[in-house]
Amino acid sequence: MLADPANRAVAVESRTDRTDSIRANALSFGVPGLSVREGAAPDALADLPRPDAIFIGGGLTGAGVVEACWQALRPGGRLVATAVTLETEAALSQWHTTLGGSLTRLSVERAVPLGNFRGWRPLMPVTLWRADKPS
C-alpha cells in the first residue's frame, strides 16, 4: 500500500485485541486505508475481492484455510505462509509437496548479557512457504 496508492490490502483476524493492534499499526505505518475484517478464515474470506497475493501469518492448520486461500487467489497470484510451531511447519511441508513453491527458514539471534560480557541468544526460527499459482 505504501508503494502505490492504488494498492489495497485486507487483513483478516479473528481476535478483537489483534484487530485493534492491526488498525493502530496501519495508522502508525502510514496505511490508514488498510481494511480489517474481523472473523476466522476461511469463513471470513467470503465476499472479498480476488487477491493477487495472500499472506497467512497464523491459522494455517485450521480446516480449509489453505484450500480457501488458494481457490480465492487469482491465477498468477502468490501465497506466502509462515510457521513457528512443528505442527504448522509439518503442514507447510505437506502444502509444499502438494502445490510446490519454496521453503525458507529464517533465524535471528539477539545479543544478551552473559556475565560481564554478551552472548547470542537465538529466537524461534520462522519457516516461510511461498507458492505461485499458475496463470
Side-chain angles (χ1 to χ4, degrees):
M1 292 178 71
L2 287 172
D4 187 315
N7 292 341
R8 296 174 302 153
V10 177
V12 176
E13 176 56 59
S14 62
R15 289 181 39 186
T16 302
D17 60 323
R18 289 183 180 169
T19 59
D20 293 342
S21 292
I22 291 169
R23 287 184 179 101
N25 285 338
L27 287 173
S28 173
F29 289 111
V31 288
L34 175 71
S35 174
V36 181
R37 177 171 285 196
E38 293 185 37
D43 296 337
L45 304 175
D47 303 324
L48 288 175
R50 291 192 79 184
D52 296 311
I54 296 176
F55 172 74
I56 304 173
L60 183 118
T61 57
V65 171
V66 174
E67 294 91 335
C69 289
W70 190 255
Q71 221 171 22
L73 194 63
R74 291 177 194 251
R78 176 171 297 150
L79 178 63
V80 176
T82 61
V84 294
T85 67
L86 292 173
E87 292 77 11
T88 306
E89 193 171 86
L92 283 186
S93 180
Q94 289 176 348
W95 283 113
H96 177 255
T97 299
T98 303
L99 298 174
S102 62
L103 288 171
T104 303
R105 179 176 283 163
L106 305 173
S107 56
V108 175
E109 299 178 4
R110 290 193 179 146
V112 297
L114 184 61
N116 292 328
F117 299 99
R118 293 174 295 145
W120 293 109
R121 173 97 24 157
L123 301 174
M124 293 182 70
V126 177
T127 302
L128 300 169
W129 169 54
R130 171 192 160 172
D132 295 327
K133 191 172 186 177
S135 296

